[in-house]
Amino acid sequence: FEAGYNLARINNFVYFDTNGVPKQASGVTITSAFVQKEFKLGGFYSTNRVVWQAYDNKDVISLPTISVFSSLFFEYVLIKNVLKGRIGANVFFRSRFYADAYSPATGQFYNQKTRQIGDYPVIDAFVDLKWKRAVLFFKYDHINQGVPNDEYFSALHYPLNHRIFKFGVSWIFYD
């Protein structure tokens, strides 16, 4: 089990207002706390992390109040001392908030107060095969696209990636 608390005070915070004009705030205070717990039952594993955030200047910055990450998988030995396998899913969720909008003309993110995004889980399914230092992986990102709704955005008017199947090899080399 792990828990933590963070208090950050940013003086002379520079941001882009709702018109995309640069501004400076005298200060912003952001408070956050998290809890994280890992569970193991036989070959089943679960890692869960919940983050709470609060801030004092809502005209300057907007953050989700709650963010959750959870990973649930089953690990098994396919060939003793040689090959391990994992099958599972990752879930990411954040509460509604006024995410920044993006201006391609200036290449900057700026504040907006017209539409909130969030309250949408993103689920990824995966299968990993680990042999010594190499991992062969198969991953289906955003498997729940469109369920329960099509409100999946990373920034205003910029949707998250659609469903996509990925596969590859990750190999750790020693220096």
Side-chain angles (χ1 to χ4, degrees):
F1 178 79
E2 210 178 317
Y5 176 81
N6 188 36
L7 178 63
R9 173 75 178 167
I10 305 169
N11 292 319
N12 302 319
F13 182 72
V14 177
Y15 68 100
F16 289 83
D17 69 6
T18 55
N19 295 319
V21 176
K23 298 271 178 123
Q24 187 169 13
S26 60
V28 176
T29 303
I30 302 170
T31 305
S32 65
F34 75 92
V35 291
Q36 181 171 315
K37 178 68 176 155
E38 295 181 10
F39 299 96
K40 180 183 179 202
L41 180 62
F44 287 97
Y45 294 82
S46 177
T47 300
N48 305 284
R49 182 180 180 97
V50 177
V51 178
W52 168 83
Q53 300 176 115
Y55 48 96
D56 65 349
N57 196 337
K58 299 198 185 311
D59 294 329
V60 172
I61 194 168
S62 181
L63 301 168
T65 304
I66 300 290
S67 298
V68 178
F69 173 78
S70 185
S71 181
L72 177 65
F73 60 91
F74 180 72
E75 185 174 271
Y76 48 94
V77 176
L78 293 168
I79 301 172
K80 189 175 179 181
N81 298 327
V82 177
L83 186 64
K84 279 187 186 177
R86 279 187 184 178
I87 185 168
N90 296 328
V91 178
F92 177 73
F93 172 85
R94 61 186 175 190
S95 60
R96 282 198 169 283
F97 71 110
Y98 289 105
D100 289 343
Y102 180 71
S103 171
T106 60
Q108 295 293 328
F109 286 93
Y110 63 93
N111 291 347
Q112 62 87 22
K113 300 295 181 197
T114 57
R115 186 171 182 194
Q116 290 185 330
I117 67 168
D119 277 350
Y120 179 84
V122 177
I123 303 171
D124 303 332
F126 64 88
V127 174
D128 295 341
L129 299 170
K130 184 177 181 185
W131 177 61
K132 295 186 181 182
R133 294 185 313 254
V135 177
L136 177 64
F137 65 89
F138 304 91
K139 188 175 181 186
Y140 199 14
D141 283 350
H142 202 179
I143 197 167
N144 65 313
Q145 176 194 341
V147 178
N149 58 45
D150 285 331
E151 295 288 322
Y152 49 91
F153 291 91
S154 59
L156 186 67
H157 304 301
Y158 285 85
L160 293 167
N161 289 333
H162 292 277
R163 263 183 226 121
I164 187 168
F165 179 74
K166 298 177 180 178
F167 64 93
V169 176
S170 173
W171 197 309
I172 299 170
F173 292 102
Y174 293 121
D175 289 338

